[in-house]
Amino acid sequence: SLVVGPLCDLGSPRLWYFVTVACTVASCVVMLVSGGSQCLVAAGLAGSAFGSIATLMPIMTRELSFRSMGTLYALAKIGGMASSSAWNWVAASTSDAMTPKGQSACIGEECYRMTWLVILGTSGPILIFLLHWVATAAPKAKAA
């Protein structure tokens, strides 16, 4: 948040929102490609995205509708909570299903591969939309 606030002052909040979601997608890709061996890199990317949202969400809800920004902010928070709960459910269900008989836990990258794919499957389309959103806002920003 201490970094994102000043960065938003330097550029379009839409660009930084895109970068935030890109960090989420990159985190998932790092986990998939590395088989979890680069967990610290992925956690840094995911943590950066999570921390940035605290600053960006109020800015973005205000940009969408000043009159309804409180409602939009609340809905965004509920949406984030619902998606993270769903992702946690997928992780737990997949891990439980892949735990060998007689063992207490599933160990290895295959235990969570489906979770990373689900997160990519939900975040990827959002990233594509945000890329379009940033690109279509750029000409308006230049005209102003």
Side-chain angles (χ1 to χ4, degrees):
S1 290
L2 291 175
V3 174
V4 173
L7 287 175
C8 284
D9 293 341
L10 295 175
S12 166
R14 288 183 181 199
L15 172 65
W16 295 112
Y17 204 74
F18 170 79
V19 170
T20 297
V21 176
C23 283
T24 301
V25 170
S27 175
C28 292
V29 170
V30 166
M31 287 300 286
L32 277 169
V33 171
S34 73
S37 67
Q38 296 298 314
C39 186
L40 289 177
V41 173
L45 288 165
S48 296
F50 180 78
S52 298
I53 287 298
T55 298
L56 291 169
M57 192 56 65
I59 294 168
M60 297 314 298
T61 55
R62 181 174 172 230
E63 183 177 326
L64 292 171
S65 171
F66 181 78
R67 182 171 183 231
S68 302
M69 68 186 218
T71 301
L72 291 172
Y73 183 78
L75 290 172
K77 289 304 212 179
I78 290 169
M81 182 178 56
S83 65
S84 66
S85 294
W87 295 342
N88 284 329
W89 180 84
V90 169
S93 298
T94 305
S95 177
D96 282 349
M98 298 192 75
T99 299
K101 295 256 189 229
Q103 299 293 320
S104 61
C106 183
I107 299 172
E109 66 181 279
E110 69 279 351
C111 304
Y112 300 102
R113 179 171 291 282
M114 179 57 69
T115 303
W116 300 118
L117 291 171
V118 168
I119 294 171
L120 276 176
T122 56
S123 299
I126 294 169
L127 184 66
I128 292 166
F129 167 77
L130 289 173
L131 180 61
H132 171 72
W133 196 40
V134 169
T136 57
K140 292 177 191 172
K142 289 178 185 174

